[in-house]
Amino acid sequence: QVQLQESGPGLVKSSQTLSLTCTVSGDSITTTNSYWSWIRQPPGKAPEWIGASHYAGNYYYNPSLQSRTSISRDTSKNQFSLQLSAVTPEETAIYYCARNYGGDLHNFVAPWGRGTQVTVSS
């Protein structure tokens, strides 16, 4: 069974860059036709898809966040990472990584990672 683990700082200052890494085990981020996503959920709000890493090395982004988002990967470590620049306190959320269901960028296979709380301070 695939397992995902998010890691990174839990506190980021406003206007700085949030950086997180997802470590995958039990599957490979280069498995054919696989997509691997970042998702976030602010308190009291619905989850929001941030972007995805495609097995072939392409990246896909939520249009509303694209200008500030960069996703990368390290295949040797079976990890993919998120950088979100110029963050604001409204982006305080639990950040998750997950494998997508097929090629659907908005549908995810359980289990997700456990999530990591990121607080953006003003």
Side-chain angles (χ1 to χ4, degrees):
Q1 184 181 25
V2 62
Q3 292 186 321
L4 304 99
Q5 179 66 58
E6 304 87 353
S7 60
L11 182 63
V12 182
K13 293 183 179 179
S14 184
S15 80
Q16 294 191 344
T17 297
L18 177 159
S19 297
L20 298 173
T21 295
C22 180
T23 301
V24 179
S25 59
D27 199 346
S28 171
I29 63 172
T30 61
T31 296
T32 300
N33 295 329
S34 65
Y35 293 76
W36 303 85
S37 279
W38 286 101
I39 307 136
R40 67 183 181 183
Q41 186 168 20
K45 295 186 178 180
E48 177 183 33
W49 177 72
I50 300 171
S53 172
H54 182 238
Y55 82 101
N58 302 314
Y59 303 102
Y60 300 87
Y61 300 105
N62 184 326
S64 68
L65 300 170
Q66 184 168 3
S67 64
R68 298 190 292 119
T69 307
S70 178
I71 293 175
S72 60
R73 66 179 191 171
D74 185 336
T75 57
S76 68
K77 296 181 180 179
N78 211 29
Q79 295 175 332
F80 62 106
S81 297
L82 169 69
Q83 289 195 315
L84 180 64
S85 63
V87 293
T88 67
E90 290 69 33
E91 295 182 284
T92 292
I94 299 176
Y95 285 73
Y96 299 92
C97 55
R99 176 170 176 170
N100 291 74
Y101 186 80
D104 187 341
L105 292 176
H106 300 282
N107 200 356
F108 312 102
V109 175
W112 299 14
R114 294 173 61 184
T116 187
Q117 173 70 46
V118 178
T119 300
V120 180
S121 63
S122 57

